[in-house]
Amino acid sequence: MTDSPHIPARRQPWPDNAARPVATPLQPSVVYATLDPDALDAQYEGRTRGYAYAREGHPNADVLAATIDRMEGAEGGVVTGSGMAAVGVAMLAALKAGNHVVGGDQLYGRSLRMLTEDLPRLGISTTFADATDTGAIAAALRPETRMILIETVSNPTLRVADLDGIARLARDRGILLAVDNTFTTPRALRPFEHGADIVIHSVTKLLAGHADATLGYVAARDPALTEAMRTATATWGTTPSPFDCWLAERGLLSFELRYDRAEATATRLADHLATLPGVARVLYPGRADHPDHNRAGALLQGRFGNMLSFELQGGRAAANAFTRACPVAFAPTLGDIATTLSHPASSSHRALTPQARAGLGISEGFFRVSVGVEPAETLLAEFEAGVRAAG
Ligand SMILES: *Cc1c(COP(=O)(O)O)cnc(C)c1O
């Protein structure tokens, strides 16, 4: 045979290798070839283990899911193409028309939108209530309430939910408790140990940790619900990309180091900001002046996290001067290895009226900081320079 000038349509076989790779291989294959129809039957009937089509599952998603399962004390969790896909899969798997959902009134913006606009369109009614107050959540329940969705630490005022009280209420009333654990992470809190039925993550944030992979994770205590979530992912197509899973798994290898370092720096930065003229207030659950400090101490066992917020005097003009003078990236995300700064009034909370924002304590001078792993001294000096320029 002469050399073909064409690109060969048959792939070369993977080289034999008697040794195993130390790093997780990246497997982008969409389909898997089987020997014959009997072998495929055996696979689909669970007598052998194998993959068939990547939307129904692939090795990089399973390796990542098993890693997060171990961290959360979960079994059979499902990785999805984004954090919102994880919220959506939890809803699709657990709810049906006629059900009612109670959400915390400071949920992540897109989750608020899903509960406000999308679930009602599907015949699922929703109510919001203050998750720091179990009585307010109890008052929002109806006979047809099927789920309560809360975040342990809220964005951007970092209020701490009464998780234990709400978990008791949910158990007494036979209602599913879903906890979005993105801000707290299993380093600070494992919601299943506090009675949650469903745990949700935006893996995009602290877990993957490098602002280069968009992913989510959802797990349930009840194996039947877990199976329904796996089916919902395959049916609605919220499957993650193998490459993103591979990146996230690599990011997780350094998660605890990143978290501990960022948390230590956040504590110092919060205390430093509070001493600067021009800073009206600082919100960090680790500080004694935070409204939920005592609850955070008990619930998070001293793991107060990498997120803090502060308010500059001088409104929008001071905010503009601050972001121009402070070298920290002004970018609406969190959990990156580098520190990022967000301004809720112009991003996550821009759809709210100024009055509604004021009700949440979000002024034009309000910033949220996701602290990264930079040297603390550098970061403190950069923030100080920004605050001086703003004042
Ligand atoms: C970012 C975020 C989400 C959504 O995650 P994506 O990966 O951006 O889809 C959900 N909940 C919380 C608390 C978040 O911070």
Side-chain angles (χ1 to χ4, degrees):
M1 229 177 82
T2 56
D3 284 352
S4 163
H6 303 295
I7 295 168
R10 289 267 159 75
R11 293 184 171 92
Q12 279 294 120
W14 196 245
D16 284 341
N17 183 1
R20 94 187 148 77
V22 171
T24 301
L26 171 61
Q27 179 51 274
S29 195
V30 168
V31 282
Y32 293 78
T34 13
L35 183 64
D36 58 22
D38 281 352
L40 198 55
D41 276 349
Q43 223 175 276
Y44 272 119
E45 287 159 17
R47 284 177 278 124
T48 57
R49 232 187 102 60
Y51 298 96
Y53 189 67
R55 182 168 34 69
E56 296 167 355
H58 56 72
N60 288 104
D62 286 351
V63 167
L64 177 59
T67 306
I68 305 175
D69 282 349
R70 228 171 38 235
M71 297 168 71
E72 281 291 4
E75 259 177 57
V78 180
V79 173
T80 56
S82 70
M84 285 317 300
V87 179
V89 160
M91 301 296 169
L92 289 167
L95 304 175
K96 60 177 193 245
N99 289 162
H100 173 247
V101 177
V102 174
D105 61 3
Q106 293 194 38
L107 289 177
Y108 181 72
R110 278 283 158 183
S111 299
L112 274 178
R113 190 187 158 115
M114 184 187 287
L115 266 60
T116 310
E117 298 186 13
D118 296 272
L119 294 186
R121 202 162 35 76
L122 302 176
I124 298 160
S125 55
T126 58
T127 308
F128 296 101
D130 180 357
T132 67
D133 177 1
T134 298
I137 297 282
L141 298 181
R142 299 182 193 164
E144 65 273 25
T145 306
R146 165 88 172 131
M147 183 192 285
I148 299 170
L149 171 65
I150 60 169
E151 292 166 17
T152 315
V153 174
S154 77
N155 176 41
T157 55
L158 311 176
R159 296 300 307 265
V160 181
D162 183 15
L163 177 58
D164 291 326
I166 295 171
R168 260 193 311 275
L169 173 70
R171 195 181 51 235
D172 289 349
R173 303 282 290 264
I175 294 167
L176 292 171
L177 174 61
V179 177
D180 179 335
N181 203 31
T182 301
F183 268 49
T184 19
T185 83
R187 190 92 176 123
L189 179 103
R190 302 189 344 151
F192 284 126
E193 292 174 358
H194 292 260
D197 299 292
I198 297 170
V199 172
I200 295 167
H201 275 284
S202 169
V203 178
T204 312
K205 312 290 172 51
L206 286 131
L207 296 185
H210 294 72
D212 55 11
T214 301
L215 288 169
Y217 165 90
V218 60
R221 183 194 295 283
D222 172 6
L225 187 51
T226 301
E227 194 47 41
M229 289 169 171
R230 192 169 301 286
T231 303
T233 296
T235 303
W236 295 79
T238 58
T239 315
S241 137
F243 183 49
D244 279 358
C245 295
W246 186 89
L247 284 171
E249 191 217 342
R250 192 169 75 150
L252 274 175
L253 297 175
S254 62
F255 164 69
E256 293 194 350
L257 290 171
R258 286 187 281 108
Y259 186 92
D260 292 356
R261 163 84 169 223
E263 181 179 65
T265 306
T267 304
R268 287 186 58 184
L269 180 60
D271 288 342
H272 187 63
L273 285 169
T275 67
L276 300 180
V279 173
R281 64 183 178 129
V282 175
L283 288 170
Y284 183 61
R287 282 176 55 82
D289 59 4
H290 188 280
D292 303 317
H293 177 64
N294 290 339
R295 178 180 293 154
L299 191 62
L300 306 176
Q301 316 234 314
R303 305 312 312 244
F304 298 115
N306 78 312
M307 304 296 297
L308 64 97
S309 295
F310 68 98
E311 188 176 0
L312 286 173
Q313 288 160 3
R316 175 61 73 97
N320 283 334
F322 175 77
T323 53
R324 285 197 300 263
C326 179
V328 167
F330 174 50
T333 188
L334 66 109
D336 185 22
I337 192 156
T339 302
T340 52
L341 199 59
S342 92
H343 181 251
S346 64
S347 58
S348 54
H349 292 66
R350 66 173 301 126
L352 272 59
T353 62
Q355 291 79 357
R357 280 198 294 269
L360 293 171
I362 301 168
S363 69
E364 285 291 344
F366 191 103
F367 282 98
R368 185 197 73 189
V369 188
S370 167
V371 177
V373 305
E374 299 92 336
E377 296 301 337
T378 310
L379 211 55
L380 265 55
E382 290 175 352
F383 273 81
E384 187 166 336
V387 171
R388 204 173 312 116

